[in-house]
């Protein structure tokens, strides 16, 4: 709440491109779940993931850092093609070719373990679960799919042949969330209004 620019960026994707969804994909999933009255939670904490991402950027002294190639046009095209085809093994190869082991340890492997631990604990409660994670988290010996398999889960791919937005997705997007309005006041009581959620001090 103290970072208004960051909140606006998260809500609007920074208006930087022509994306399929109006919001970041995880926020989009959250919006659909809320409209359908589903329970929702994160499989990693914000502070936790931010700290691991920060550590991934800080290579240990003396480490040989691989030359970053992410913005090489040919490589970006390979990544985009592999993503569209669902070729997670190619994505894994590109990650290991372009990133250091230190980066992968903090950016992927430790986060994967945290996410799988939470997914496992939720599913052990007998709940059916839809989880969205970035595609780089899926493959490899330390990937989410392998970790779930090692815990005894059966994992199989679900291929989509849809080439355009489905009618179902459009239906959910057009649904209006029915908010419950209540009177909320500021800490000092000077301001009050009928709102769907409490006021947040910035």
């Amino acid at each position: 709440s103290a970072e208004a620019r960051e909140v606006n960026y998260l809500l609007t994707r920074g208006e930087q491109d022509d994306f399929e969804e109006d919001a970041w994909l995880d926020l989009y999933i959250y919006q659909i779940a809320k409209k359908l009255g589903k329970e929702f939670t994160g499989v990693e904490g914000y502070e936790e993931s931010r700290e691991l991402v920060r550590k991934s950027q800080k290579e240990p002294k003396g480490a040989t850092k691989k030359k970053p190639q992410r913005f090489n046009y040919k490589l970006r095209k390979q990544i985009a093609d592999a993503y569209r085809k669902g070729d997670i093994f190619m994505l894994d190869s590109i990650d290991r070719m372009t990133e250091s082991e230190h980066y992968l340890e903090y950016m992927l492997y430790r986060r994967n373990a945290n996410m799988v631990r939470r997914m496992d604990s939720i599913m052990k409660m007998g709940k059916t679960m839809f989880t969205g994670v970035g595609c780089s988290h899926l493959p490899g010996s330390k990937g989410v799919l392998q970790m779930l398999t090692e815990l005894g889960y059966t994992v199989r791919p679900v291929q989509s042949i849809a080439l355009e937005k489905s009618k179902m997705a459009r239906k959910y997007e057009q649904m209006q969330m029915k908010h419950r309005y209540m009177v909320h006041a500021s800490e000092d009581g000077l301001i009050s209004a009928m709102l769907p959620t409490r006021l947040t001090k910035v």
Side-chain angles (χ1 to χ4, degrees), residues 26 41-53 105-119 121-122 129 131-134 137 144:
D26 41 7
T41 186
V43 288
E44 64 176 340
Y46 175 72
E47 296 293 341
E48 165 189 78
S49 67
R50 187 171 70 168
E51 179 61 15
L52 289 172
V53 170
E105 176 66 28
Y106 287 96
M107 190 61 148
L108 293 180
Y109 305 153
R110 294 196 185 196
R111 292 175 64 205
N112 292 349
N114 290 340
M115 290 189 276
V116 168
R117 190 174 65 250
R118 290 195 178 95
M119 289 165 66
S121 64
I122 292 168
M129 190 177 186
T131 309
V133 300
H137 291 283
V144 167

Side-chain angles (χ1 to χ4, degrees), residues 26-41:
D26 41 7
L27 181 59
Y28 177 79
I29 292 167
Y30 162 80
Q31 289 170 343
I32 299 295
K34 193 157 185 176
K35 287 177 183 179
L36 295 175
K38 304 284 186 187
E39 288 183 273
F40 44 83
T41 186

Side-chain angles (χ1 to χ4, degrees), residues 153-166:
Y153 292 99
T154 301
V155 179
R156 65 179 176 81
V158 177
Q159 297 292 332
S160 171
I161 56 168
L163 297 176
E164 59 181 56
K165 265 192 178 178
S166 70

Side-chain angles (χ1 to χ4, degrees), residues 159-176:
Q159 297 292 332
S160 171
I161 56 168
L163 297 176
E164 59 181 56
K165 265 192 178 178
S166 70
K167 289 177 183 175
M168 192 179 288
R170 286 198 197 95
K171 181 181 86 174
Y172 291 147
E173 286 171 6
Q174 289 164 4
M175 285 173 69
Q176 295 294 312

Side-chain angles (χ1 to χ4, degrees), residues 177-200:
M177 179 70 197
K178 287 185 170 65
H179 292 286
R180 201 165 134 240
Y181 286 81
M182 296 171 63
V183 176
H184 292 277
S186 58
E187 283 182 7
D188 57 13
L190 288 174
I191 301 167
S192 66
M194 291 288 287
L195 299 168
T197 187
R198 64 182 175 81
L199 286 163
T200 302

